[in-house]
Structure formats: structure tokens, C-alpha cells
Amino acid sequence: MATSDAILQVLSGAGPCVFRSNPCFRSSDLTFSSKLHVKCVKKRASRCMKMFKCSNVLQNGIGNHWFKGLGDRDLSVDAKIKKLHLLRCKGPQAERVSGVTEGGNGAWFVDGAKSLNLNGAVTGEQTDGFGVRDAQQLTREKEGFASNGALNQEKERLETNGAVGTGRDASPKVSVDPIEEEAWELLRDSMVYYCGSPIGTIAANDPTSSSVLNYDQVFIRDFIPSGIAFLLKGEYDIVRNFLLHTLQLQSWEKTMDCHSPGQGLMPASFKVRTVRLDGDDDSATEEVLDPDFGEAAIGRVAPVDSGLWWIILLRAYGKCSGDLSLQERIDVQTGIKMILRLCLADGFDMFPTLLVTDGSCMIDRRMGIHGHPLEIQALFYSALLCAREMLAPEDGSADLIRALNNRLVALSFHIREYYWIDLRKLNEIYRYKTEEYSYDAVNKFNIYPDQVSPWLVEWMPNQGGYLIGNLQPAHMDFRFFSLGNIWSIVSGLATRDQSNAILDFIEAKWSDLIADMPLKICYPALEGQEWQIITGSDPKNTPWSYHNAGSWPTLLWQLTAACIKMNRPEIAARAVEIAEKRLSRDKWPEYYDTKKARFIGKQAHLFQTWSIAGYLVAKLLLADPSAARMLVSDEDPELVSAFSCMIGTNPRRKRGQTNLKKTFMV
Ligand code: GLC
């Protein structure tokens, strides 16, 4: 029985489970006119109805649910035209999330049921990994950090520390250590405004950099830790605005040399540009949101991870703010579906993993991760789970939800079974027979044992294991990729045992992966001929630099969420302690170089926002582990039972006696 068939039978009754074409998901849906611009007119009233004007269009226009009650199908051509005429700019101030931020005193809501506060005091039932005991223990650790921070008092005063942000902080004052305080100031300095409302943070705010490139833009993936930090601080508006504006950009007509990528794609980044208006008044300007879907990016890489992160942040926003009205909006629901439709569309794939080109995620350059890289699979799984939680049940979505459920089980089975590696599995691969033509092949992907390279034999500890970087026919990429492994823990793509084993592995390989600055993006580096062939001799990705096994402090927040989920926060606390010794002193670099992360990266930008935000989120989560709930997903009992059914029907164990397809073997 094919994988997807088994899933279908468990989850949704008999019949092949494919994502059938559904009128609800026609590619024409929500395709706006090619000349649309997202604009905020500063001085003049609109001259053209075919414009999205100002951020408030989103909040006041569609936000009023003019389309409530309409199926997605109704949002086709007529509705699109109607929508364009309805969108109006109603002034610069963003709508506040009613009933959530007001009078909050730091109180915030998870699942609308439990009231928590920023100091880790929790009311309501606690579960493993989020317990009161941990919160108290971590508060003590936090006090320890504070004194560490005090030792760092000699740190330089940063020129960019202005008073920006004063008065914008709606959250209650919580005493923080000096490094955290500096980080908050820098994070606020990086905020980007559109029509007077905050909508994101720029990638880097480095006054020393001579080549800004696109680091003055708001990157979707870079904003995630910023967004989480703001959510943890009770500042929901910036996240809400970000989610709505990027949603608007999703509908943008995008082309590269006459080719349009799929509808539903989210941009890699966007910039707020101020442009001069035509006309008599020379000083009249307007603000325009200018997205980059990869058509301007170095290497023209596709930002596959953007939409997945967007869904993950949307769910976190709802969980943290308690404002579920955002995810319930018709336009937001449609946005979720467009992303899913793009990811779940049938192609030539043999595997349930998402097939992507090189550089389609955080590693956005040629690094030999084309195919089915773990990072994308972990984000994909996570986004599917989050979307399932948020999608409104309605007839029009039944096929999509069925396809989504199918994929979740098939994907987790595939990754858990075939990407997992530890000493035992490595030895199995080392002894693999090859060229097995049969349905019950053990070495399904025809992996040649010679691929087990000497570094790996030496490196694999007795305890622990990890998910490999990529799997293709006759190819296992044995490199350890941190984000993919960590997010597999956070999302539950890895089993509990695997998740613990990954953390065991990180502990066992501490001096390689954490070293002098957490966290290596991958291990080991590509060197020599391999580097020449795989990266194309990329001078930025030289061995032990940047994406080629450089160390990225931003990964701290994801590590922390994973450790908290597994009730092992002390691992993250140790890593944060190491980072804290240098981050502020080194001016918050984007990445570090060398095997042990001793140098600030060769071309690393300073005051890199996601290094700052990643650190802040790690600290905030350690101070209040219960807050990690907005990020993690627990194993769904339905999926677990479907998964065990899959194991039962695993061809490697059972195939042979009953499989009719065997008849066709030549
Ligand atoms: C680099 C990173 C990418 C990041 C961008 C902005 O291109 O590789 O992951 O989003 O910088 O910080």
C-alpha cells in the first residue's frame, strides 16, 4: 500500500488521498491586476482606484469583514474588483487589538484559557516542559545572567542608541539586565514604519557598513524572532500589521523574465519606499511597499520558507494575544489556503517532502541543499500543523484539509524513518547492499556505503543522533543542519525519543556546535574540491564562514524553544550564557567564523536585527518557559495513531506476501 493511501484510510476514510483540483483553489483566485501597488499616499488623495493605499486599508477594509459569509469562490473576479473599490486609506494610525493590549499589566493569554504574566507566574494546569518549577528555576538562572551582564558594564556605548521608541513601548516596565535593555533599544531602532504604523524591522542597522545591499529591507524570516519578541512584550500591533501587509504582498503580480512564480508565494523581503507623486506639488510624496520575491535577490533564490514562517507567526500571534479574529478573517484564511495550495500541489515528486531549489531558506545561496532540505521540511510540517489549527471548517476546505492531513502523516513518517541517523543506523548504512530492485528493498534510495565519510564515522557519538540534511536518490547529505533539527523538535516532526536524542547530540558535540558562539548553522564545512564544486567557489561561503558552517546567534531562540519543549532548558541557558559574553561587546554580529566561532564573520553585518531579537526571545522564554507554548506543537493523537498504522504497513517490514503490485515486477 502506498504511503499516502495508508494515511488516507486512517484519517479520512477509504480512497486515494490526493489534492484534487477544487474550484476554491483555482490559480485565478485572488489574482489582482498586474499594475497594483501597495501605497500610502502622504499628501494627495488617490488618483487611481487600482491601488492599495496605506496600511489601514487592510485593517479597516477587509478587516470589517465585508466578505464575511462568502465562500472563497466568491472572491474571484467580481469580488476582486469590488474589493479594490472598497479599500480605503483611513488615516495613519494602526488599529489596536481591542481588549488585548489595553490594561494588560503584562497579562496575556494562551489558548484563551490560561492567564499568564511576563514573570513566569502561571495560573492553570502545567505540563512537562512548561512547569512552574522550571519557571522558578529559570528565574534564578536569569538572576545569574543579570549579574553576568553586570560584569559586562565596560561595554561600549552604542552610537545608535537614541531615544527612538520612547513612548512607543506600551508594555509594562519589567526590570531587565543591561544587555537586554540595550537589545530592546536596538530592536526598537530597527522598526520600520508605513503610514505611521510599525510594520516590521530591518535586517541590519549597521552604521559602519559600506554595502547595505538589501539589509535595509524587512525580511520575512528575519522578522520572526522580532515578532515573537514583541509578542512576548505584549506589543501586538507590529506583528498584526506585519502579517496583514505581507499578506497583501502575497497577491502581488510577480515576474522574473516574463515568468510568474506561483500565486501564494510570500516575498523574501520588502522595503518601504517614499516616492515623489506626479503633479504640480514637488514635495508631495507617497509611501510604497516594494516586495522582493527573489527576482532581485542575489542568485534569484525562491523564498520558500517565507510563507511557512508567516503561517507559524500567525498562529503564535493568535495564541499569544488571544486575538483570534485575525486568523478568522476571510482574507487571512484565503492567504493560508494559497500558501497550502502552492505547497500541496502535485508535481513529479516521489516523496512527501517539499522539493525546492538551492538557497530557498535561511541558507539563501548555493550550498548544495537543493532537493529536500531538512529545514524546509521542518517548516513545512510546522506550517501544516499550524494551518490545520487555524483553518475554519467549511465545505470548501474539505479537500484541502484531507490533503493536509495526508501530507502530515506521510511527511513525518518519511523524515522519522529515512532522515534519522545514529550510530546504529550509520552502521546499517555502512553495510548496505546496493542495486536492490524490489518493493522490499532495505536500501530504498540506493545509497552507496562509500558515502559514509570518515568525518562522520569519527564524529558520531555513542549517544544521540540527528536528522540528516537532505535525502535524494543515491544521496544522503549527512551534514548536521541546526535549524532543521531544532525546528523538528519544536514542531514535533521528530518523535519524542528522536527529539531527546538530538539534544543529547548537541550536548555531546557542544564544542563543535556551540563552541565560542552558538550556534553552527551546519556541520562540518564544505572544504577543498567539495567547496569548489558545491558552492561554485563562493568567496562568501568559504569553509567555516557564513552559511558554510559559520555560527549564527539568531538560532538561539529556536534552540531555546526546543529545549524548553523537551524540559531541558538548562541546555539553552548554557548556550545563552556563552552568547551573552560577546554579543553586545561585538555589536551583535550577523554571524561568526572559524571552527570554534572565535572571529566575527568576515562579511558579517553588525547590529543584525535577528541576532538581537533571537537573543531577546531566548532570554524571555527562559524567564517564562510557559510562553514557548505559542511556538511548539505537541504530537497530535490522531497523527500518532495514523503514524503507527504507517509503521505497521511499512513495506520494509511487511511488504511481500500481500502486495498485489508485486505481480508487475519484471
Ligand atoms: C542573508 C541570510 C538570510 C537572511 C538575510 C537578511 O542573506 O542568508 O537568511 O534572511 O541575510 O538577514
Side-chain angles (χ1 to χ4, degrees):
M1 185 186 286
T3 303
S4 55
D5 292 348
I7 305 154
L8 177 71
Q9 290 188 9
V10 174
L11 287 176
S12 44
C17 198
V18 282
F19 177 55
R20 291 194 193 85
S21 74
N22 180 323
C24 285
F25 308 116
R26 283 190 316 240
S27 63
S28 62
D29 284 357
L30 276 185
T31 312
F32 295 104
S33 161
S34 64
K35 290 284 178 278
L36 296 176
H37 298 285
V38 180
K39 287 188 177 182
C40 168
V41 180
K42 274 275 181 65
K43 276 206 153 182
R44 286 228 173 135
S46 160
R47 296 146 300 151
C48 170
M49 286 310 290
K50 282 185 177 178
M51 283 181 178
F52 294 127
K53 290 165 290 181
C54 205
S55 53
N56 305 76
V57 156
L58 296 160
Q59 284 123 21
N60 300 328
I62 308 169
N64 286 343
H65 300 284
W66 276 314
F67 299 106
K68 200 141 197 154
L70 298 179
D72 293 340
R73 216 187 299 204
D74 299 314
L75 281 174
S76 54
V77 186
D78 286 352
K80 277 178 247 164
I81 295 164
K82 191 164 144 203
K83 182 172 160 186
L84 293 175
H85 286 265
L86 289 171
L87 298 176
R88 258 180 225 96
C89 177
K90 289 193 179 169
Q93 288 311 307
E95 209 179 69
R96 295 202 61 82
V97 180
S98 58
V100 177
T101 51
E102 285 161 13
N105 292 327
W108 52 295
F109 304 92
V110 173
D111 287 331
K114 294 182 182 85
S115 178
L116 310 161
N117 71 46
L118 284 169
N119 294 323
V122 183
T123 31
E125 189 198 330
Q126 292 301 311
T127 56
D128 278 359
F130 303 105
V132 175
R133 188 179 52 77
D134 292 331
Q136 288 165 347
Q137 182 189 323
L138 286 157
T139 307
R140 282 197 297 278
E141 278 168 16
K142 188 185 152 143
E143 282 157 11
F145 293 152
S147 54
N148 271 343
L151 291 175
N152 256 340
Q153 293 267 317
E154 80 283 2
K155 76 183 161 45
E156 291 169 39
R157 232 10 252 158
L158 299 165
E159 281 176 8
T160 50
N161 277 358
V164 186
T166 311
R168 285 189 200 130
D169 186 353
S171 61
K173 294 281 167 276
V174 179
S175 73
V176 285
D177 72 37
I179 302 180
E180 274 181 71
E181 210 168 339
E182 178 196 306
W184 272 115
E185 272 184 55
L186 292 170
L187 186 59
R188 289 190 198 295
D189 280 350
S190 73
M191 280 162 77
V192 171
Y193 290 80
Y194 178 61
C195 292
S197 301
I199 54 158
T201 50
I202 54 169
N205 208 353
D206 183 355
T208 64
S209 173
S210 52
S211 73
V212 173
L213 297 171
N214 50 355
Y215 282 73
D216 60 349
Q217 304 206 3
V218 180
F219 277 75
I220 306 315
R221 73 174 74 84
D222 292 41
F223 180 73
I224 307 304
S226 299
I228 304 291
F230 287 119
L231 288 179
L232 289 168
K233 195 89 166 138
E235 295 173 33
Y236 307 130
D237 287 351
I238 183 169
V239 181
R240 183 185 163 91
N241 293 340
F242 169 87
L243 287 165
L244 287 170
H245 281 290
T246 44
L247 174 70
Q248 196 78 335
L249 295 174
Q250 183 191 32
S251 310
W252 191 274
E253 173 92 354
K254 42 205 168 279
T255 54
M256 189 191 139
D257 301 338
C258 304
H259 173 71
S260 303
Q263 282 297 318
L265 188 70
M266 283 280 182
S269 60
F270 65 86
K271 191 174 165 67
V272 179
R273 293 189 195 281
T274 304
V275 295
R276 179 111 27 95
L277 275 173
D278 302 336
D280 310 331
D281 184 356
D282 280 351
S283 62
T285 60
E286 60 184 348
E287 282 183 350
V288 181
L289 287 187
D290 184 6
D292 177 8
F293 290 90
E295 72 272 28
I298 296 164
R300 303 293 186 260
V301 280
V304 179
D305 62 340
S306 289
L308 306 174
W309 276 124
W310 184 87
I311 289 178
I312 293 165
L313 184 65
L314 177 66
R315 184 238 192 191
Y317 169 86
K319 282 213 166 273
C320 190
S321 70
D323 170 25
L324 299 181
S325 68
L326 185 71
Q327 57 184 253
E328 286 163 3
R329 285 168 50 147
I330 297 284
D331 56 337
V332 174
Q333 288 279 317
T334 306
I336 299 172
K337 288 178 199 164
M338 282 169 73
I339 297 170
L340 293 180
R341 187 171 53 85
L342 193 60
C343 295
L344 294 171
D346 288 333
F348 291 106
D349 315 340
M350 287 297 291
F351 310 141
T353 35
L354 209 56
L355 179 63
V356 299
T357 59
D358 217 345
S360 53
C361 52
M362 177 185 181
I363 297 179
D364 55 357
R365 293 169 86 84
R366 188 172 154 191
M367 265 294 290
I369 59 162
H370 51 274
H372 305 93
L374 180 65
E375 177 178 332
I376 287 291
Q377 312 316 323
L379 293 176
F380 181 34
Y381 182 81
S382 187
L384 289 179
L385 273 184
C386 295
R388 196 169 71 145
E389 236 176 271
M390 294 185 292
L391 276 177
E394 55 178 22
D395 291 348
S397 303
D399 276 356
L400 183 66
I401 291 174
R402 204 173 9 252
L404 184 157
N405 278 327
N406 254 359
R407 198 64 173 259
L408 274 172
V409 185
L411 182 61
S412 60
F413 177 82
H414 187 86
I415 297 283
R416 292 167 179 192
E417 277 282 297
Y418 306 128
Y419 277 57
W420 182 253
I421 190 158
D422 54 16
L423 199 63
R424 189 197 58 78
K425 183 68 187 288
L426 197 58
N427 203 163
E428 199 181 297
I429 297 168
Y430 179 75
R431 289 167 51 79
Y432 263 167
K433 290 187 180 56
T434 57
E435 315 302 330
E436 292 177 283
Y437 183 83
S438 70
Y439 289 109
D440 44 13
V442 172
N443 181 5
K444 285 195 184 57
F445 306 99
N446 203 30
I447 306 298
Y448 302 110
D450 272 0
Q451 280 180 40
V452 178
S453 10
W455 71 262
L456 184 59
V457 177
E458 293 302 315
W459 201 53
M460 183 61 81
N462 293 333
Q463 292 287 320
Y466 65 93
L467 297 165
I468 60 167
N470 213 325
L471 176 68
Q472 321 244 47
H475 173 69
M476 282 178 119
D477 183 344
F478 289 111
R479 281 176 292 172
F480 175 87
F481 286 86
S482 296
L483 181 49
N485 272 283
I486 290 169
W487 208 258
S488 297
I489 299 176
V490 174
S491 64
L493 175 57
T495 63
R496 281 201 81 79
D497 285 351
Q498 288 175 339
S499 299
N500 272 314
I502 294 169
L503 293 184
D504 291 344
F505 186 87
I506 292 175
E507 283 196 299
K509 293 288 150 194
W510 192 264
S511 62
D512 291 328
L513 300 175
I514 307 288
D516 283 0
M517 176 55 69
L519 183 62
K520 276 257 173 302
I521 195 167
C522 63
Y523 187 95
L526 297 169
E527 300 190 76
Q529 222 183 12
E530 234 185 351
W531 166 75
Q532 284 173 358
I533 295 168
I534 295 177
T535 72
S537 301
D538 184 347
K540 203 166 171 186
N541 271 335
T542 50
W544 309 104
S545 178
Y546 199 42
H547 301 135
N548 191 7
S551 297
W552 292 66
T554 186
L555 294 170
L556 267 178
W557 74 273
Q558 288 116 334
L559 175 70
T560 307
C563 293
I564 289 173
K565 178 179 180 188
M566 300 316 295
N567 205 14
R568 295 167 72 175
E570 67 285 351
I571 300 175
R574 265 176 78 199
V576 169
E577 206 173 351
I578 291 170
E580 220 156 22
K581 291 192 183 123
R582 296 177 64 191
L583 272 181
S584 155
R585 201 184 61 199
D586 294 344
K587 303 194 174 83
W588 308 92
E590 180 186 13
Y591 63 95
Y592 285 78
D593 284 358
T594 78
K595 257 188 181 173
K596 301 283 177 208
R598 297 186 71 193
F599 289 176
I600 295 172
K602 218 182 334 187
Q603 295 184 42
H605 287 256
L606 302 180
F607 304 106
Q608 180 80 17
T609 304
W610 69 354
S611 299
I612 297 163
Y615 163 76
L616 277 176
V617 172
K619 291 287 282 192
L620 291 167
L621 290 179
L622 285 172
D624 178 10
S626 61
R629 277 207 196 102
M630 73 165 135
L631 296 168
V632 305
S633 302
D634 289 319
E635 262 193 315
D636 177 327
E638 242 181 295
L639 283 178
V640 174
S641 78
F643 185 76
S644 38
C645 168
M646 291 287 308
I647 298 278
T649 56
N650 179 4
R652 192 165 113 200
R653 297 189 176 107
K654 280 248 174 99
R655 201 147 215 155
Q657 309 96 322
T658 52
N659 201 310
L660 289 175
K661 278 188 188 161
K662 241 185 163 171
T663 327
F664 301 104
M665 267 181 59
V666 184

